[in-house]
Amino acid sequence: MPKLNIEEIEAIIPHRYPFLLIDSVEDYNPGEYAVAKKCVTANEPFFQGHFPKYKVMPGVLIVEALAQTGAIALLSLPEYKGKIALFGGIKNCKFKTPVRPGDVLELSCRLTNRKGPVGIGEAEAKINGKIAVKAELSFAIQ
């Protein structure tokens, strides 16, 4: 599918600033996968307290960005238009590399199992091709 800009992303998922954590969708196939980008800047509000002298993007927000990427793959299906994808769980989450201002997160989520409104996605966040975070995310559609 073609790239999605911020307005097109907002038409698919309900997140808005300051909690919309993806800037663009580079590729996606509804019901299968999505690949997105997050350009991390020093102006992010969470850097005011995490950590002022050594700015690191909180891991939970990286996982949230991965979940939003997976939500693009899922909520772009016509039957889920206007719905919300909620976390069901996070398994095997590994934080490999700190994410700092100036980094561009390459986010991907492939839906590996889906039964009705519940499913699982394999997600990775990379910086320059190197894995920063990896996790298995489960979700439920509401």
Side-chain angles (χ1 to χ4, degrees):
M1 301 288 293
K3 289 176 68 166
L4 300 177
N5 64 32
I6 198 70
E7 291 83 11
E8 293 164 320
I9 292 167
E10 288 178 343
I12 296 171
I13 63 175
H15 304 79
R16 298 295 181 266
Y17 179 84
F19 220 70
L20 178 57
L21 297 173
I22 57 178
D23 296 323
S24 66
V25 173
E26 303 300 304
D27 189 21
Y28 74 108
N29 193 6
E32 292 184 27
Y33 70 90
V35 178
K37 282 190 180 175
K38 165 69 176 162
C39 299
V40 182
T41 72
N43 296 323
E44 307 283 355
F46 48 79
F47 285 138
Q48 292 177 32
H50 200 272
F51 301 100
K53 293 185 181 195
Y54 186 79
K55 297 175 184 331
V56 177
M57 184 173 181
V60 295
L61 295 182
I62 300 167
V63 174
E64 174 63 26
L66 288 168
Q68 291 178 19
T69 302
I72 290 291
L74 189 63
L75 299 179
S76 59
L77 288 166
E79 62 265 35
Y80 295 133
K81 184 173 176 60
K83 301 283 187 179
I84 296 174
L86 300 173
F87 265 123
I90 303 167
K91 291 174 78 176
N92 303 318
C93 188
K94 304 284 186 213
F95 299 95
K96 307 269 188 183
T97 302
V99 176
R100 312 264 344 264
D103 288 338
V104 176
L105 278 176
E106 305 149 11
L107 306 156
S108 65
C109 186
R110 178 167 297 281
L111 305 179
T112 58
N113 191 1
R114 190 164 47 105
K115 186 171 183 176
V118 177
I120 296 172
E122 295 291 332
E124 289 183 341
K126 295 180 180 180
I127 303 168
N128 296 321
K130 183 178 176 188
I131 293 176
V133 178
K134 188 175 184 174
E136 179 182 282
L137 310 176
S138 60
F139 56 85
I141 303 296
Q142 186 173 28

